[in-house]
C-alpha cells in the first residue's frame, strides 16, 4: 500500500482539489452510488481494486477501466483512495 506522503511525491497532490469534493457533486446519482460503494470497499479492505465498468451514466454506452488504489496514513491505515479511470481508445 502506498503511503500518502509517497503519493504526494509522485504528483497526486495536484488531484486533491478535485477528489476532495463529494462524489455526488460531480456524478449523476446512480453513478455516484456505484462509485461510492467501490470506494468504500477499497478503503475498508485496504486492497486495490480493478473494475471494468459498463453503462455508467457518466459515459453512457461506453466501458472503462477503473483502478482504485488505497493510500495509507502515517500509521499505515487506509485513509484515502486514488481513483484512475481509463476509457480504452479514448
Amino acid at each position: 500500500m502506498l503511503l500518502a506522503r509517497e503519493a504526494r511525491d509522485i504528483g497526486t497532490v495536484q488531484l486533491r482539489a478535485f477528489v476532495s469534493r463529494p462524489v455526488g457533486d460531480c456524478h449523476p446519482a446512480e453513478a455516484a452510488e456505484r462509485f461510492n460503494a467501490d470506494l468504500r470497499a477499497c478503503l475498508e479492505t485496504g486492497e486495490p481494486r480493478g473494475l471494468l465498468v459498463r453503462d455508467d451514466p457518466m459515459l453512457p454506452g461506453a466501458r472503462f477501466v477503473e483502478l482504485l488504489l488505497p493510500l495509507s496514513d502515517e500509521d499505515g491505515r487506509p485513509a484515502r483512495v486514488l481513483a484512475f479511470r481509463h476509457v480504452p481508445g479514448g
Side-chain angles (χ1 to χ4, degrees):
M1 204 178 321
L2 292 173
L3 290 174
R5 69 176 177 267
E6 292 169 342
R8 284 191 297 272
D9 292 341
I10 59 174
T12 55
V13 72
Q14 298 167 354
L15 300 174
R16 182 168 290 147
F18 175 75
V19 296
S20 64
R21 294 182 356 201
V23 172
D25 286 356
C26 39
H27 289 72
E30 184 181 332
E33 185 178 324
R34 181 202 57 79
F35 193 43
N36 274 323
D38 293 341
L39 291 170
R40 269 192 303 278
C42 181
L43 200 55
E44 289 170 1
T45 65
E47 297 291 324
R49 297 173 58 90
L51 307 159
L52 177 61
V53 180
R54 295 184 176 125
D55 298 322
D56 188 272
M58 287 292 291
L59 296 166
R63 62 185 177 148
F64 58 90
V65 175
E66 186 172 86
L67 179 62
L68 304 176
L69 301 171
L71 302 176
S72 299
D73 62 13
E74 296 293 327
D75 297 320
R77 293 178 297 221
R80 291 188 170 90
V81 176
L82 174 65
F84 175 79
R85 290 180 172 172
H86 172 69
V87 178

